Amino acid sequence: MYAFDIERPSTVADAAGALSGEAQALGGGQTLIPTLKARLASPSKLVLLSGVAEMQGISRAGGVLTIGGSTTHADVAADGSYKALSDLASRIGDPAVRNRGTIGGSIANNDPAACYPAAALGSGAVIVTNTREIAADDFFQGMFETALDEGEIVTAVRFPIPDKANYQKFVQPASRFALVGVFVAKSGTGVRVAVTGASNEGVYRWVAAEEALSANFAPAALDGLTVSSDDLISDLHGSADYRAHLVKVMTGRAVAAAS
């Protein structure tokens, strides 16, 4: 590690004001702290968001679940208002990670194997920041890339609660990240299928599966579909072809579980 300053704002406005120059926001620290230890980042100041009360908590109104950006995975897991999302949160990392990591930090980081981006994209969520609201379809822009501007903070995420939903995760045992994870959600507007852990471009929607499942929400609807392995991740944990196979398998399991 190295020397840096720490600022502990109590409001979103103060936090945004502190994020200038080489300052960096710190949520639960589950990604940033290891990054600092490895000297892959060296901000001069860390702005702790855990003390911002207006970024904490969960509320439900009009079929929409709103989760504050500083809300921990453990709190989302315990809530149960959106069962598929709570089940997803309950399987992130281990208890230490779930009690420190935050939904806002995960969304903002957009790790290509993280679970929350699949839930946000699969649910058609809206990411709320200190300056605007961004549809999930526009927010995730590639591996570790988002629509966030410099100094912009994820203050909340709004999830429309679908009629049916499920998340299936093929776990990479060492990291507990998803080797492939698929979030399927069915609502009155159709079906959304979001895939994490598989693509070099990060989380994405499997449009062909969405069209097939909108016509027939059953695993059999996927029978005639294939997943291209082009631009899928290939590493020591699994080849691109293996991940392509898992995308279809996990989608079928999610549909079966949601039904």
Side-chain angles (χ1 to χ4, degrees):
M1 297 289 281
Y2 62 96
F4 50 78
D5 295 325
I6 295 178
E7 191 156 340
R8 295 177 172 84
S10 58
T11 68
V12 171
D14 288 344
L19 287 172
S20 59
E22 296 182 0
Q24 190 160 345
L26 176 65
Q30 300 309 291
T31 297
L32 182 57
I33 296 303
T35 301
L36 297 179
K37 288 181 177 179
R39 298 297 180 95
L40 297 175
S42 54
S44 60
K45 179 172 65 176
L46 296 183
V47 180
L48 275 63
L49 303 179
S50 57
V52 181
E54 58 193 296
M55 288 177 57
Q56 299 172 2
I58 302 171
S59 62
R60 178 175 179 172
V64 176
L65 190 70
T66 300
I67 303 175
S70 291
T71 305
T72 66
H73 312 325
D75 286 341
V76 177
D79 179 69
S81 299
Y82 183 176
K83 187 177 184 303
L85 183 63
S86 292
D87 287 347
L88 175 151
S90 72
R91 290 179 281 155
I92 295 176
D94 55 26
V97 169
R98 291 192 290 274
N99 281 286
R100 291 294 302 174
T102 64
I103 187 170
S106 177
I107 294 288
N109 189 51
N110 192 22
D111 188 290
C115 298
Y116 277 130
L121 190 59
S123 301
V126 173
I127 289 79
V128 182
T129 78
N130 56 309
T131 62
R132 55 181 171 152
E133 298 180 0
I134 312 169
D137 285 315
D138 301 321
F139 183 84
F140 302 105
Q141 299 184 347
M143 185 181 291
F144 296 110
E145 296 289 334
T146 71
L148 290 174
D149 293 330
E150 185 174 350
E152 196 169 10
I153 302 169
V154 176
T155 59
V157 186
R158 294 178 183 155
F159 291 90
I161 301 176
D163 299 325
K164 298 178 180 180
N166 187 258
Y167 178 63
Q168 291 291 314
K169 178 180 179 180
F170 194 92
V171 177
Q172 201 287 87
S175 67
R176 308 301 298 172
F177 276 100
L179 188 66
V180 167
V182 178
F183 195 98
V184 174
K186 181 181 185 294
S187 64
T189 58
V191 177
R192 295 174 69 99
V193 179
V195 181
T196 188
S199 174
N200 284 305
E201 296 301 316
V203 66
Y204 71 96
R205 288 171 62 184
W206 185 14
V207 177
E210 292 178 345
E211 294 172 349
L213 291 168
S214 292
N216 176 26
F217 194 69
L222 305 171
D223 288 348
L225 303 182
T226 58
V227 179
S228 173
S229 62
D230 294 346
D231 206 31
L232 295 192
I233 297 170
S234 185
D235 56 21
L236 59 87
H237 304 297
S239 67
D241 287 339
Y242 182 55
R243 281 183 165 88
H245 170 73
L246 283 177
V247 169
K248 184 173 180 178
V249 170
M250 303 311 280
T251 302
R253 291 180 182 178
V255 172
S259 298

